[in-house]
Amino acid sequence: MTDLQQQSLLVDLNAAQQLHLRYIAKADATGPAVFFMHGAVENGKIFYTHSNKGLAPFLARLGYRCYVADLAGRGESKPAIARGAAYGQTEAICAEIPAFIDKIIAHSGEFPRFWVAHSWGGVLFNSAFARFPEYIDKVSACAYFGSKRSLYNRHLGKFIKGNLIWYWLAPKYAQKHGYLPARQLKWGSDNETIKSHYQSMQWAKVLPWVDSDDGFDYGAALRDKSLPPILHIAGVKDKSLAQPIDIKKFMQESGLGLQELKIYGRSHGHHHDYGHIDMLTHPQAVRDQFQDVQAWFARHA
């Protein structure tokens, strides 16, 4: 019998949309709240399974109260992305993240002190810090798994997954279907709206970090700010989506705060050569990067 409980919390974003937030904790937990954000063509399941595997259950067993988000239309948020869905990452940054935070505060009684992201989720989190600088001092530390904004690496896989698929094929599929059917195409575990794909595609190019809706300049907003301490996690087999060069460029445009990059693979003394997805899902992660996330949070508690 597990010592953890899982519960679905529902957030009414507006009259037409309901967001899903998965709560994972011990029954009597009183530890700090942790906010988890998935990346593009994903949902919150990157952080947990119903059988309590993954990073969120790992931290929950240590006493943390974990809250795993599904962005609008992804995972168990309703309705699922379909033709005509008009929202994108601007809405995720300006409306959905604040709504999740409000729900976490209402449920836990405190602002989420630790933030965890995978891939594009780290870009959304830092964008939220730029839009809502009042969040910064309330967060003790962050851990980002394979988070980058623009792709600088020149690996062959980057040209296939980035230039060929994300920049060329994906817009064609999105226009044909009215949304990007990434799950059906086996490009990811969830779909994207036309707008969310377009906006992330523009930022993945080596272009300014500026919002296409209102021109808000995230890079300029963060230039002189110190964000919470961020542990950046890279995998030695993550050759196309988040090489160290890509992560370092993201770190450089993310303000003045403490940031640390660690690379995970056998050549660095770890138990597995990790890639972009299995840095969170491989069984050996509990012996490697999960331990370092725990130590990072304890260090900055």
Side-chain angles (χ1 to χ4, degrees):
M1 186 175 180
T2 181
D3 59 341
L4 300 182
Q5 63 174 6
Q6 293 196 23
Q7 178 186 1
S8 287
L9 307 177
L10 303 178
V11 183
D12 291 324
L13 183 63
N14 53 49
Q17 290 178 287
Q18 191 174 67
L19 304 178
H20 175 255
L21 190 65
R22 192 72 169 177
Y23 175 64
I24 306 172
K26 291 182 177 179
D28 58 350
T30 59
V34 187
F35 183 20
F36 293 78
M37 180 58 60
H38 62 82
V41 297
E42 280 183 5
N43 56 53
K45 285 291 187 68
I46 191 74
F47 297 112
Y48 74 97
T49 68
H50 289 293
S51 58
N52 289 316
K53 296 177 182 177
L55 179 58
F58 172 85
L59 290 175
R61 289 191 179 93
L62 299 174
Y64 292 94
R65 291 176 289 169
C66 298
Y67 295 84
V68 185
D70 282 332
L71 287 172
R74 286 79 154 187
E76 296 182 51
S77 292
K78 304 297 181 186
I81 289 172
R83 181 182 293 274
Y87 50 88
Q89 67 182 25
T90 305
E91 288 78 8
I93 295 162
C94 297
E96 295 168 42
I97 287 176
F100 282 125
I101 290 173
D102 288 345
K103 186 67 173 183
I104 293 170
I105 293 171
H107 188 265
S108 71
E110 68 170 28
F111 194 94
R113 287 173 49 198
F114 298 100
W115 291 17
V116 178
H118 179 237
S119 195
W120 202 252
V123 179
L124 298 180
F125 270 171
N126 280 8
S127 299
F129 285 132
R131 289 270 190 178
F132 306 101
E134 64 270 21
Y135 290 170
I136 295 173
D137 290 339
K138 298 177 182 179
V139 178
S140 298
C142 305
Y144 293 173
F145 287 73
S147 289
K148 53 80 192 53
R149 185 178 74 84
S150 300
L151 287 167
Y152 287 83
N153 80 78
R154 301 188 64 79
H155 190 270
L156 176 61
K158 177 261 180 184
F159 290 99
I160 295 173
K161 294 180 180 179
N163 296 58
L164 177 60
I165 293 179
W166 201 244
Y167 300 159
W168 188 70
L169 278 177
K172 296 181 182 299
Y173 278 108
Q175 290 299 326
K176 176 182 177 181
H177 294 275
Y179 66 99
L180 179 61
R183 182 168 54 84
Q184 295 93 314
L185 293 167
K186 300 185 188 285
W187 290 353
S189 58
D190 223 315
N191 301 323
E192 292 290 326
T193 67
I194 290 178
K195 182 179 179 180
S196 61
H197 167 260
Y198 171 80
Q199 291 185 309
S200 64
M201 176 178 67
Q202 294 307 307
W203 282 4
K205 298 174 182 177
V206 183
L207 294 171
W209 191 357
V210 174
D211 199 284
S212 62
D213 273 16
D214 62 5
F216 184 88
D217 192 326
Y218 296 90
L222 292 179
R223 196 165 295 134
D224 61 350
K225 289 184 174 61
S226 291
L227 298 189
I230 303 172
L231 174 64
H232 288 271
I233 291 161
V236 296
K237 290 184 71 177
D238 192 353
K239 298 296 187 182
S240 56
L241 296 177
Q243 281 198 33
I245 184 175
D246 307 313
I247 296 173
K248 288 176 181 177
K249 292 289 188 179
F250 180 45
M251 293 166 67
Q252 289 170 8
E253 64 182 0
S254 293
L256 306 173
L258 172 66
Q259 299 188 77
E260 184 175 314
L261 171 62
K262 295 194 70 173
I263 305 170
Y264 290 81
R266 290 191 177 94
S267 61
H268 296 268
H270 302 114
H271 296 86
H272 178 69
D273 289 331
Y274 295 97
H276 193 66
I277 298 298
D278 70 1
M279 62 173 63
L280 277 164
T281 61
H282 195 278
Q284 293 296 339
V286 299
R287 303 172 65 188
D288 293 325
Q289 50 269 38
F290 289 9
Q291 297 293 332
D292 289 344
V293 169
Q294 169 193 353
W296 184 260
F297 288 175
R299 173 180 165 189
H300 297 287

